[in-house]
Each structure stands twice: as C-alpha cells, then as structure tokens.
C-alpha cells in the first residue's frame, strides 16, 4: 500500500542498478565523512555533485551529432533524459519519514532542499514589489528556507548569518543619493534585519511603570540610548571592517575594500542585471540589426552580473553551512550533525535553466571553497554541462562495498564519494550514467519503504565533549589565576626566576605563516617539515631524500652547504598548480648525490638545505622591493644567519622573476652570499641585480626574440593559424598579467617589439591573483579574438594559472580557428603538462601547445636516464638547470679550495667575477658566463611541441649546444631561418 505522501511515482520503474547507487549515496547522506577514520580526517573535504544521465547505447551518437563515433569522455558522461527527473523526486521522498507521534508529521532524515522551477514564477519577490529579486535570488532564498525547515529533530536551528546579510543587502530599499548616505542607510538596514537587538530598554521601562515612577522612563532612555547607539556602531564596524566578510571584496576583485563598499558594487551589479532582464522582456520581436547587436552585448553583461550575484549568495550559503556542520566544541549538537546538506535539482536543463545556472555557480564556487558540506544530486534533462566529467575508475573503495556485490557504476560512485570525504581533490560535478534497462519491474515504492538512512538521535554521551571542554577551560583559568598570584609584584609569594625555555626548531627556522604554509629552512632531518598544501606529499618525499643524502656527509671533515631557495608550497586556500621549483630541486638532489659519490683527490663534499619562500615568494625577503610581506618572517635573513653555522657557500634557485626574489638576492649580496638563479628570465633580474647574482637561464630579451622568430616562420604553427591580411604572420592574442611587471609585462613588451609589423598583437590581461569567476570572461575574450583573426595564443602568464584558462577554452565549443585546433605558444607552461604530455590530448584536445625550454637535456643521455630512474618522471630544462647549478658550484669550489681551503662565500663571488666559466658543459646547454656577464652568452633555447597523439617533438634549437664550437644560428626544416643571437 502506498504511503500517504506518495502518489505520483508509484508506477515508476527504476533503472537497473539504481538501488545499489541509492544505498551508496545513503551512507554519505547519513554521515558525510563515513569510512574515514577520525585521526585521518582533514579539514578540507568536499563531496562532488552527482548528475544522473542515461547510459548511451554502444555505438550510438548524440542526437544531431553527425560524427561516426563519440569520444570516450563523452560516452562516459552519458546523455540527458527528461525521465530522470522522477528519480530525483524518488530520492527526495526517501529523505522524509512519517513521524511516530500523535501528530503524524513528516520528519526530515537530513536537511535538504529541492528546486522546483515552476514555483519560481509565482512566488512573491521579496520586500519590494516594485524591485523584483529575480529568479536567481528567489531560488537561493527558497533553498535556504527549505534547509532551515528540514533540520532533523534534536539537531538545533540552522543559522545562516552571512547569507542573511548578503540577501538583506540585495533587498534593501535605498534611495539613490550621496554615497556616504547610501552606505549609512545600507548599514542601518543590515542592522535592523540581521543584528541581535539591544532591546532590554522596553523591559526596564515596563518595570518602572509597575513601580509607579513616571520619571523612570526618562532615566532608562538616558542609560540605554547611548548603549544602544554604541552597540549599533560596533556592529556596523564589525560588519564593515571585520574578517568575516572580506571574501566578498575578493570575489568582486576589490580586495581590501570594506564590506559596505563591496556591497554597493554588488547591489549595482544586481540592479543592472534586473534592469536588463525587464528590458529584454519588453523588447520588440523583430528589432533592427544594430539594436539586436547592442541588446546582445548588454544581455551578456547582465548575465555576467547575475552570475556574480548568484555566486556570492551561494558562497555565503556554503560558508554558513560549513560553520553549521561543525558546531563549537561546547555544543551538544556536533555529533548529531554528521549529515551533509542535500540539494536536489530534478531538472538540470539548458543554459537558461535556473537549475543549470545554479549548478554552474556551484561548479565555480566549490573549487575555491576549502570545506563544502553541500551535497548536490541532480538529473540532466536537456544538455549535459561541459564541466561535468564522467565517473573515474574506482580507486578508494566506499565503506562496506564488496567488490562483487554492487554494480560497476555504484562502486565508481562509492570511490568518488570516498575520495571527496577523505579530502582528496575531486571534480566539482560528475555524471552518473544510469542503465536504460529496467530493474525487473521494480517500482519507486521499494526504495522509499526499504530505507536504511537514519537520522542520528540524541544520546546522553553527546554531553561528554561539552563537559570535557568546560572542565578544561575552567582548569586553564584556574591555572592562569594561580600563575598570576605567583608573579613577583602581583602576589605575596616570591619564587626564584625560572630559565626561559628554548624555542623549538620549527618556531625558529620554519615558522608557520598566515597562509597556513611553513616557510624557512630544513636539512631534511631537523623535524622542520616545509610540505604544505595540495602538493605536500611531493615535497615531503624530496625532504626525506634530502635527509638521507645529507646524513652521508662527514661533517667532521671540511664541507660546504648549498641552499636551494624557491617557492615550494601553496597556501591552504590555493588551488594553483605544482610549483616549478620541484623539478629544479630534483635535479639539484641528483647532482648532490652524484658529486658526493665521486672519489677525487681534492673534492669538497656538498651538503644541501631547502629554503621555502612560500607561494609567490612572499616570505623570501622583507622590506625594500618586497611590498607584500607584512609579517616578520624573512627567509633570506634566515639563510644569512646560518652562513657560519652550516658553512654555506652559495644559493641556487629563486625560480621566479619577482620583486620579492630580487630583494632576496639584494639581502644575500649585502652579506657576500652568491646567488645562481635557475628558471629566472625577467630582464630586470639581470639588469637591476647585485654583482653576486648570476643565472643559468636565458633572459626575456633573448627568449622573446626566439619566440617571435618561431611565430613568424614556423610551418607547424602556420598550419594551425592564418596570416592576417596586410601582414606576413598570423595575429597573436597575447595573454599576460598586467601586475606582473618583472616577468609577464616584460615578456609582452619584448615580444611585441620583436614581432614588429609581421602580425598584429592583441593583449588580453589575465592575472595570477584573479578569481576563478573572472577566468570565463578572459577565455571568452580570447576566443572572440581567435575566431575573428584565426591567430594563435601567446601565453605570457604564469604557469600556475594556465590550467584555469585552458579549462574554459576547452569547454567553449565555439572556441576554434577555421583550421581547427588553436595553437598556444607559451614561455612558462604548466609543469605537469611537460612531464605528462599525453594529458594535452586527453584534457585539452582543442588546443595545440608549443612551449619554450631554456636548454634541453639529451633525451637518451645518462642524466635523463638517471633522473627517470630516481623520480619516475622525465627530465626537462628546469631539472637540468637545478642539476647544472650544483655542478657549477662544485667546479668552482674545487678550484678555490686548492689555494684557500677555508674559503668563504665571498671567494665564490670573486671567482665568478674574475675568472668566470668558459664552455661549461651542462645538461641545459654549453654555458659561458661570469666576468661581469650575469647570464650565459647565446644560451640554448628550444621550442618544444606536444603533438596530437601526446608525444613531444623539438621544433627549434638555437644557441650554444657544443663546447668550443660556434652556436647554432639556423633552424627550420631545411635550416632556412636565422636564429636570434645575443649582441
């Protein structure tokens, strides 16, 4: 017999295997961290959104697709089916049960919300009938109200303070006028709607009236009015300048601005989007061509503004839910809030569908959110979003999953949810293809009746944690009070002074900074773990190797220490790609091992230290050119303080051209410590650096000229681009970071100058500090220029944000030239693409990558073979640069020790300035530098290409490649093109 609240899906037939998937999902709805031991749980965790699709029959193609076959990735995603909407409704009914009390109410098993698009058109619009909220605001408001209403019994009230404040900002009825008056009115409106009211004045007045004294009311007003004003003022300051709402300014690309100022910008975007929406509704059916073009441009801007508003509201909601999912330690509701907050989207349709737009925002926001307790379950009823990926191969098994007991799809879903619960990075949205075969006539009543999901009930032991926390807090207070009593001058008892405890090594040499990173120095065995962020495991393995190799150095005999100094971690909130310094460090460690294994008559053993400057080299220096480090941490100063203790002879690395890294070189030069840069190309690094600085890589002036020559004449690039009319070379869409003056802007200017009049150059700004919400608009601008010019992309940005741009370029189906693929020529490519070139064809098939290398190791030589054997990845120019830097110091130190066994770092500087190196045979090329020359003359520069089958070929080699021989001056299929040379 059907349940009273079940009438519509009783005859629905479930797909084969759907019950297995439901059981897997149930486990994570009951406990979002299921299967993860408490001691292994990370703060960062996020369950991916699951989107039901229909499994495509073998050999079938999507409707309207004329291709013979379908790509494997598309086939794995399935295809949309409007009938799948009913399955989401089935799961919705699974999340409620009929209460057992006399009232017989429906009790929620987990907080959830379902998006019903039909209700959005008939709901009231909010506080102002004349100023509609718009469906995007009403939708999220309805989601928040449903989550509040479906909190399970005994789990408390759901509070959403940040969401309520942002919603109040959008709905505030403020008349246009002076900006200061608008800010004040907005602050008062937020206070009236969201603040806890200072309202005991009425109770005191009532007490006075009962006492019969008429003047009591005046007395209470005199006392309470100043207190109420002070409370309002403090609330306004906390909202405007507090840390809680700083993220709003960051998402609007207005960091550092007050929340009220950022709110004014948010309101402007909201008003513009709603005004354009009303204008579109009233537009005539057949406007002129010019009017249609103008309307299209205005609609695009309005859509962007609407997306920004939606993403900010969704971010506020997720932040509130993350806080609600982890109550304070003194709350008894912590153990009862193990479930995620479930959001059901039964109709994820085309681009204009409200559910689709909400899912778009979730995909963008979830990637930037450390903790996301929102679990989205939807059904693709029209188009599958381009960012949705198919299920991965099962990796981490879900708890309780028997290999043979469930379908392959259910096991894949379990592995995916287990990875998200463990804190591993997972895609934001994944498709779950459902079988088109029915499940033996089983209808929708079965999963509703047989419901294993249970909401955790209140237990007596829930009070244990709050009780322990209270006891500990009281013990600490008593201890502090006792300590204060015994302080001389404050109490009557005097004690002999106790010695000051010695600080730990981790506090002195590798402090933790506000980004969550540990920066500073380690020798691999001093318990200073610099590994942090997404790539901590990679650095930690290199630290272990460092400790083992340093342990073999006999420190009772003469030795010298080199410091590898570079950014080697990313912040806790960062999603940037792996730091380029990893490959250089691998090369340096391999060189240390090899030179220390030699048995020469006179040889200086090398010890190595790792110095982490933090993301963007922020903590590598202090003062001077470094304007971003507002802490007291200065890693360059730490190196200087350990010169005598560790017998430091020099520094290698830096790895990035930044004012912060140049300032570090200046600080080290002041103490006579030489720096040998690797992976550094900014012209100012050689122009403005001190005398003790030199580098093994070619500067931007040389790199830009070689890249311009390649772009003008390469037949392989020309096959993917079209020469612009009136020019001799294709157009270059130059992507650069306008704030990165030391590298990106410098390369842009020099390439533009070298490209000359051969082809037009269209600069497109794209910063490494930009929020992901801006990347789609950058990609749209790039695609528009590519379609119009049939040119190529010159990527002059940082490697850390290349993936973000490539992602949106790949997902834009209209982003291509008339020749097909888009050629991308990059100076600083993402390291992972260089080490695994097959990923270009797998992930970014619409792009064709050419990239610069500052000298390539011989592919089948002993260095490349040894590097592959040691680390399991291929060697590149970064690895060769780190390797050569250690070999250069080894050669120089062995020459010096013949005449000065007790030499200092200044002796190395003097050697390079007076003697220098001539025809040094390195893995990154033949190098001659020193004697006032800060970089190798005619340094080898190569242009590599990743072909469509995922292999790498060399298209260009210029510069010194053989010892005591003239540099290579021609390149091309028949050597027809002249190589640029140093003046």
């Amino acid at each position: 017999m059907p349940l009273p609240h079940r009438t519509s899906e009783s005859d629905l037939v479930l797909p084969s295997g759907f019950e297995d998937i439901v059981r897997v999902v149930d486990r994570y709805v009951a406990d979002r961290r299921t299967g993860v031991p408490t001691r292994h749980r990370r703060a960062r965790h996020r369950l991916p959104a699951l989107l039901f699709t229909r499994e495509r029959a073998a050999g079938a193609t999507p409707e309207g697709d004329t291709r013979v076959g379908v790509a494997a990735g598309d086939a794995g995603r399935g295809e949309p089916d409007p009938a799948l909407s009913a399955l989401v409704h089935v799961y919705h009914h699974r999340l409620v049960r009929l209460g057992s009390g006399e009232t017989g109410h429906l009790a929620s098993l987990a907080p959830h919300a379902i998006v019903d698009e039909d209700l959005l058109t008939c709901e009231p619009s909010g506080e102002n009938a004349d100023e509609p909220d718009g469906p995007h605001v009403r939708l999220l408001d309805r989601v928040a109200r449903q989550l509040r209403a479906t909190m399970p019994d005994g789990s408390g009230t759901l509070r959403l303070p940040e969401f309520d404040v942002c919603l109040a900002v959008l709905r505030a009825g403020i008349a246009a006028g002076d900006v200061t008056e608008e800010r004040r009115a907005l602050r008062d409106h937020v206070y009236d709607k969201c603040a806890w009211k200072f309202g005991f004045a009425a109770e005191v007045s009532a007490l006075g009236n009962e006492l019969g004294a008429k003047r009591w009311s005046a007395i209470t007003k005199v006392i309470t009015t100043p207190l109420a004003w002070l409370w309002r003022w403090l609330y306004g300051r906390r909202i405007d300048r507090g840390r809680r709402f700083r993220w709003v300014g960051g998402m609007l690309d207005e960091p550092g601005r007050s929340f009220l100022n950022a709110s004014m910008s948010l309101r402007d975007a909201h008003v513009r989007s709603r005004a354009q929406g009303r204008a579109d509704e009233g537009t005539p059916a057949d406007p002129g061509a010019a009017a249609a073009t103008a309307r299209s441009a205005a609609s695009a801007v309005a859509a962007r503004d609407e997306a920004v508003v939606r993403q900010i509201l969704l971010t506020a909601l997720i932040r509130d839910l993350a806080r609600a999912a982890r109550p304070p330690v003194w709350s008894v509701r912590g153990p009862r809030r193990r479930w995620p907050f479930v959001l059901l989207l039964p109709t994820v349709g085309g681009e204009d569908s409200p559910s689709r737009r909400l899912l778009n925002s979730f995909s963008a926001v979830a990637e930037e959110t450390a903790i996301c307790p929102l679990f989205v379950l939807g059904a693709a009823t029209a188009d599958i979003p381009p960012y949705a990926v198919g299920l991965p191969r099962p990796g981490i098994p879900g708890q309780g999953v028997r290999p043979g007991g469930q379908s392959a799809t259910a096991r894949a879903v379990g592995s995916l949810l287990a990875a998200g619960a463990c804190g591993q990075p997972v895609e934001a949205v994944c498709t779950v293809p459902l079988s088109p075969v029915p499940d033996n006539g089983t209808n929708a009543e079965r999963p509703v009746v047989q419901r294993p999901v249970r909401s955790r009930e209140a237990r007596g032991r829930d009070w244990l944690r709050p009780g322990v926390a209270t006891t500990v807090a009281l013990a600490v207070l008593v201890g502090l009070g006792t300590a204060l009593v015994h302080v001389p001058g404050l109490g009557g008892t005097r004690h002999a002074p106790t010695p000051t405890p010695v600080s730990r090594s981790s506090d002195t040499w590798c402090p933790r900074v506000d980004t969550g990173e540990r920066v500073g120095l380690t020798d691999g065995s001093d318990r200073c773990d610099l590994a942090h962020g997404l790539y901590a495991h990679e650095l930690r393995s290199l630290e272990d190797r460092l400790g083992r190799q340093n342990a073999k150095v006999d420190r009772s005999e003469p030795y010298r220490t080199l410091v590898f100094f570079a950014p080697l971690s990313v912040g806790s909130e960062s999603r940037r790609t792996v730091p380029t310094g990893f490959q250089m460090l691998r090369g340096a460690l391999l060189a240390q091992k090899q030179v220390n294994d030699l048995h020469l008559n006179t040889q200086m053993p090398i010890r190595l230290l790792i110095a982490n400057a933090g993301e963007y080299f922020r903590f590598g220096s202090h003062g001077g050119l470094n304007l971003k480090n507002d802490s007291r941490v200065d890693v360059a100063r730490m190196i200087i303080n350990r010169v005598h203790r560790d017998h430091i002879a020099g520094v290698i690395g830096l790895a990035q051209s930044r004012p912060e890294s140049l300032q570090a070189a200046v600080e080290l030069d002041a103490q006579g410590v030489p720096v040998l840069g690797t992976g550094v190309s900014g012209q100012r690094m050689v122009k403005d650096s001190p005398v003790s600085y030199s580098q093994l890589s070619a500067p931007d002036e040389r790199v830009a000229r070689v890249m311009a020559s390649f772009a003008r004449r390469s037949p392989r690039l020309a096959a993917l681009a079209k020469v612009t009319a009136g020019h001799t070379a294709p157009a270059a869409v130059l992507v650069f970071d306008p704030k990165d003056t030391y590298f990106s802007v410098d390369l842009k200017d020099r390439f533009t100058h070298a490209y000359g009049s051969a082809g037009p150059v269209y600069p497109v700004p794209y910063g490494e500090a930009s929020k992901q919400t801006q990347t789609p608009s950058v990609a749209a601008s790039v695609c528009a220029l590519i379609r119009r010019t049939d040119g190529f992309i010159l990527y002059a940005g940082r490697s850390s944000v290349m993936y973000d741009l490539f992602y949106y370029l790949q997902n834009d189906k209209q982003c291509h030239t008339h020749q097909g693929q888009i050629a991308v020529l990059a100076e600083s490519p993402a390291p992972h693409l260089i080490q695994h070139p097959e990923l270009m064809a797998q992930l970014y098939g619409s792009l064709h990558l050419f990239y610069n290398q500052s000298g390539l190791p011989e592919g089948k030589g002993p260095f490349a073979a040894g590097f592959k054997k040691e680390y399991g990845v291929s060697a590149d120019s970064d690895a060769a640069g780190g390797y050569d830097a250690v070999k250069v110091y080894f050669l120089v130190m062995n020459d010096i020790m013949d005449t000065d066994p007790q030499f200092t770092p200044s002796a190395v500087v003097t050697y390079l300035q007076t003697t220098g190196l001539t025809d040094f045979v390195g893995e990154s090329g033949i190098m001659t530098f020193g004697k006032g020359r800060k970089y190798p003359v005619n340094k080898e520069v190569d242009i590599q290409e990743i072909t469509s089958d995922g292999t790498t070929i060399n298209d260009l080699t210029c510069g010194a490649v053989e010892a005591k021989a003239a540099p290579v001056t021609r390149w091309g299929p028949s050597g027809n093109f002249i190589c640029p040379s140093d003046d």
Side-chain angles (χ1 to χ4, degrees):
M1 172 178 155
L3 297 177
H5 60 287
R6 292 282 304 149
T7 57
S8 58
E9 289 96 10
S10 58
D11 297 328
L12 175 67
V13 177
L14 301 178
S16 177
F18 182 71
E19 279 192 87
D20 292 339
I21 297 173
V22 166
R23 291 191 188 97
V24 172
V25 172
D26 281 345
R27 281 192 289 272
Y28 292 90
V29 169
D31 185 353
R32 63 184 180 277
R33 310 300 298 275
T34 187
V36 184
T38 303
R39 62 183 181 278
H40 293 153
R41 292 186 178 183
R42 305 177 185 176
R44 179 189 293 269
H45 66 279
R46 168 171 56 84
L47 296 179
L50 300 182
L51 190 64
F52 291 147
T53 60
R54 184 69 70 187
E55 190 177 277
R56 185 178 292 125
T61 59
E63 184 178 354
D65 196 340
T66 59
R67 296 174 299 174
V68 176
V70 179
D74 291 340
R77 297 197 311 162
E79 58 186 1
D81 184 355
L84 296 173
S85 174
L87 298 180
V88 179
H89 285 286
V90 167
Y91 199 82
H92 175 222
H93 292 294
R94 190 176 179 82
L95 294 176
V96 294
R97 62 179 172 81
L98 192 62
S100 57
E102 296 180 358
T103 58
H105 70 287
L106 293 177
S108 175
L109 300 173
H112 60 276
I114 186 167
V115 174
D116 190 339
E117 298 183 2
D118 294 334
L119 294 179
L120 294 177
T121 57
C122 59
E123 282 189 342
S125 60
E127 298 174 8
N128 303 317
D130 298 333
E131 194 68 32
D133 288 338
H136 55 296
V137 175
R138 294 202 303 274
L139 186 151
L140 283 168
D141 185 22
R142 178 173 175 80
V143 167
R145 285 189 278 118
Q146 289 185 73
L147 292 176
R148 284 188 173 109
T150 57
M151 288 289 285
D153 296 337
S155 60
T157 303
L158 178 60
R159 304 183 186 278
L160 306 174
E162 293 187 24
F163 179 81
D164 289 341
V165 168
C166 292
L167 194 62
V169 165
L170 295 176
R171 288 179 168 176
I174 299 176
D178 180 69
V179 174
T180 304
E181 293 297 329
E182 288 186 25
R183 290 179 77 256
R184 185 178 295 112
L186 184 60
R187 180 203 63 190
D188 292 342
H189 178 80
V190 171
Y191 175 83
D192 293 337
K193 290 295 180 183
C194 305
W196 177 80
K197 299 304 184 295
F198 193 81
F200 66 81
E203 298 176 4
V204 176
S205 299
L207 177 61
N209 292 333
E210 291 179 4
L211 295 176
K214 294 184 179 180
R215 62 176 179 271
W216 187 265
S217 178
I219 295 175
T220 56
K221 287 183 180 180
V222 169
I223 296 175
T224 59
T225 298
L227 292 178
W229 177 89
L230 178 62
W231 177 251
R232 179 185 290 266
W233 181 81
L234 290 174
Y235 179 83
R237 291 287 298 178
R238 184 168 64 88
I239 286 291
D240 191 27
R241 296 293 180 181
R243 298 175 60 88
R244 190 166 194 173
F245 287 95
R246 288 183 184 176
W247 60 270
V248 177
M251 289 190 68
L252 293 172
D253 201 21
E254 298 176 357
R257 293 192 65 186
S258 71
F259 171 68
L260 292 178
N261 287 342
S263 297
M264 299 294 288
S265 300
L266 179 64
R267 283 177 54 80
D268 290 343
H270 182 54
V271 170
R272 285 195 303 268
S273 67
R274 298 311 306 137
Q276 183 60 38
R278 291 191 296 272
D280 290 342
E281 293 173 0
T283 304
D286 188 19
T293 302
R295 186 183 66 179
S296 176
S299 298
V301 173
R304 181 201 63 189
D305 291 338
E306 180 180 313
V308 169
V309 172
R310 188 188 306 108
Q311 288 182 14
I312 286 180
L313 280 176
L314 184 58
T315 301
L317 180 62
I318 290 176
R319 287 170 60 89
D320 285 332
L321 295 180
R323 191 175 293 107
R326 301 179 65 187
V329 69
W330 55 84
S331 172
V332 298
R333 299 191 175 99
R336 305 173 193 171
R337 294 187 177 183
R338 294 179 176 178
W339 23 251
F341 297 86
V342 183
L343 176 59
L344 303 172
L345 305 177
T347 52
V348 179
E351 281 291 345
D352 295 333
S353 162
S355 296
R356 171 67 175 275
R357 290 179 176 178
L358 179 58
L359 190 63
N360 294 347
S361 298
F362 175 81
S363 175
V365 166
E367 294 291 342
E368 301 291 333
T369 306
I371 303 174
C372 182
L374 189 65
F375 179 39
V376 181
L377 191 66
T381 57
D383 298 327
I384 299 178
Y387 47 78
V389 300
L391 289 174
R393 294 179 180 178
I396 302 175
Q399 184 184 17
V401 175
R402 298 187 303 274
Q406 292 182 333
S407 66
T409 303
R411 292 197 298 272
V413 171
S415 298
L416 184 68
L417 295 178
C422 289
Q424 297 183 8
V426 293
E427 296 292 339
V429 181
C430 296
T431 60
V432 180
L434 300 179
S435 173
V437 180
D439 191 8
N440 298 325
T442 303
N443 62 27
E445 289 297 332
R446 181 173 175 179
V448 174
V449 175
Q450 299 179 359
R451 183 188 298 108
V453 178
R454 291 292 181 268
S455 176
R456 187 186 180 281
E457 310 226 348
R459 302 173 186 171
R461 66 184 182 186
D462 292 349
W463 292 92
L464 179 61
R465 187 175 65 166
V468 171
T470 304
T471 303
V472 171
L474 290 176
V476 170
L477 290 176
V478 171
L480 290 175
T482 305
L484 290 175
V485 169
H486 290 84
V487 172
L490 293 180
T493 306
R494 294 189 178 184
H495 297 277
T498 58
T500 304
V502 179
S503 62
R504 297 181 304 165
S505 172
S506 61
D507 297 329
T508 304
W509 299 115
C510 50
R512 189 177 298 279
V513 292
D514 57 5
T515 60
E517 303 167 271
R518 278 202 181 274
V519 299
L521 292 164
T522 183
D523 65 357
S525 60
D526 54 7
R527 298 183 181 179
C528 265
D529 185 7
L530 303 177
H532 181 78
L534 291 176
Y535 314 102
H537 63 286
E538 295 189 46
L539 181 57
R540 192 167 290 117
S541 66
L542 296 177
E543 289 177 336
D544 294 340
R545 182 184 295 268
L546 173 71
R548 294 193 299 270
Q549 294 184 183
N550 282 341
K552 297 178 181 179
V553 177
D554 186 359
R555 301 180 66 178
S556 64
E557 299 291 335
Y559 72 93
R560 287 297 182 271
T561 299
L562 300 179
V563 182
F564 183 83
F565 189 17
L568 295 170
S569 61
V570 295
S572 298
E573 303 296 326
S574 177
R575 306 292 297 179
R576 300 311 185 201
T577 57
V578 58
T580 56
F582 283 5
Q583 280 288 84
M584 301 175 198
L585 178 55
R586 291 186 179 106
L589 286 168
L590 181 59
Q592 181 205 17
K593 179 179 183 296
Q594 291 181 0
V595 299
N596 285 345
D597 287 343
L598 297 175
H599 299 285
L600 306 179
N601 291 333
T602 55
Q603 169 181 337
M604 181 62 71
I606 292 179
R607 188 166 167 265
L608 202 61
L609 296 180
I610 294 176
N612 180 22
E615 192 171 17
Y616 308 136
F617 219 100
R618 175 182 168 189
F619 303 99
S621 56
H622 191 277
L625 298 171
N626 190 340
L627 304 179
K628 297 180 180 178
N629 185 6
D630 53 2
S631 70
R632 296 183 179 181
V633 178
D634 185 350
V635 180
R637 175 55 55 184
M638 295 181 190
I639 297 173
I640 293 169
N641 291 340
R642 291 180 62 163
V643 166
H644 298 294
R645 165 184 159 178
D646 290 282
H647 303 285
I648 292 176
V651 173
I652 61 176
L654 296 191
Q656 296 181 354
S657 305
R658 298 183 185 272
E660 296 79 14
S661 56
L662 182 56
Q663 177 62 28
V666 171
E667 293 181 25
L668 294 166
D669 173 75
Q671 303 299 321
V673 180
V675 177
L676 189 56
T678 57
V680 180
S681 62
Q683 202 70 27
R684 294 185 65 175
M685 298 297 291
V686 294
K687 178 182 177 183
D688 300 339
S689 57
V691 295
S692 63
Y693 173 83
S694 52
Q695 65 184 46
L696 299 185
S697 47
D700 277 348
E701 176 64 29
R702 175 168 176 76
V703 172
R705 292 166 63 193
V706 171
M707 294 178 74
S709 175
F710 181 82
R712 286 198 303 266
R713 300 183 176 91
S714 169
R716 295 189 65 84
L717 188 145
L720 300 172
K722 182 180 179 181
V723 175
T724 307
H727 296 81
T728 59
V733 180
L734 201 156
V735 179
F736 76 105
D737 185 349
K739 297 182 181 180
D740 186 4
T741 57
Y742 274 58
F743 167 68
S744 188
V745 174
D746 181 56
L747 181 63
K748 174 188 79 77
D749 294 341
R750 296 181 187 279
F751 177 85
T752 304
H753 176 75
Y755 207 50
S757 59
V761 177
Y762 300 94
V764 178
Y766 174 53
E768 67 178 337
S770 300
K771 293 292 183 181
Q772 189 174 359
T773 53
Q774 297 174 320
T775 309
S777 62
V778 174
S781 300
V782 171
C783 290
L785 288 169
I786 288 294
R787 288 196 300 269
R788 180 160 61 90
T789 64
D790 274 337
F792 69 98
I793 299 173
L794 193 287
Y795 186 79
R798 294 282 181 179
S799 63
S800 60
V801 290
M802 173 180 274
Y803 277 137
D804 301 77
L805 183 62
F806 276 19
Y807 173 81
Y808 287 100
L809 292 176
Q810 174 68 25
N811 286 334
D812 188 343
K813 302 305 180 185
Q814 302 300 319
C815 194
H816 56 78
T817 63
H818 289 86
Q819 286 75 17
Q821 287 183 309
I822 301 174
V824 181
L825 178 57
E827 197 279 346
S828 181
H832 212 55
L833 292 179
I834 307 308
Q835 298 166 26
H836 305 281
E838 67 278 3
L839 293 179
M840 274 302 299
Q842 296 173 6
L843 302 178
Y844 311 111
S846 65
L847 306 176
H848 198 96
L849 181 61
F850 303 83
Y851 59 92
N852 165 74
Q853 294 275 272
S854 186
L856 280 174
E858 185 180 350
K860 298 182 179 180
F863 166 71
F867 191 91
K868 181 77 172 180
K869 180 180 178 181
E870 289 287 336
Y871 303 109
V873 295
S874 301
D876 57 10
S877 65
D878 287 336
Y883 181 87
D884 287 345
V886 174
K887 286 295 190 76
V888 166
Y889 272 110
F890 182 68
L891 175 63
V892 171
M893 291 190 299
N894 287 345
D895 281 354
I896 296 175
M897 69 177 296
D898 288 338
T899 57
D900 183 11
Q902 305 299 325
F903 68 90
T904 64
S906 299
V908 179
V909 177
T910 303
Y911 182 97
L912 291 175
Q913 290 298 311
T914 58
T915 304
L917 291 173
T918 302
D919 286 340
F920 173 80
V921 181
E923 294 297 333
S924 62
I926 308 301
M927 290 172 279
T928 298
F929 66 97
K931 297 183 180 181
R933 185 84 177 195
K934 294 184 178 180
Y935 59 91
V937 181
N938 288 319
K939 179 68 171 66
E940 178 186 345
V941 176
D942 301 270
I943 301 290
Q944 298 278 103
E945 175 188 354
I946 299 179
T947 62
S948 299
D949 59 358
T951 58
T952 303
I953 61 175
N954 190 45
D955 289 345
L956 175 149
T957 296
C958 288
V961 296
E962 293 185 16
K964 303 185 183 301
V968 175
T969 58
R970 289 186 173 274
W971 68 278
S974 304
N976 331 348
F977 310 130
I978 299 176
C979 288
S981 60
D982 291 337
D983 298 330

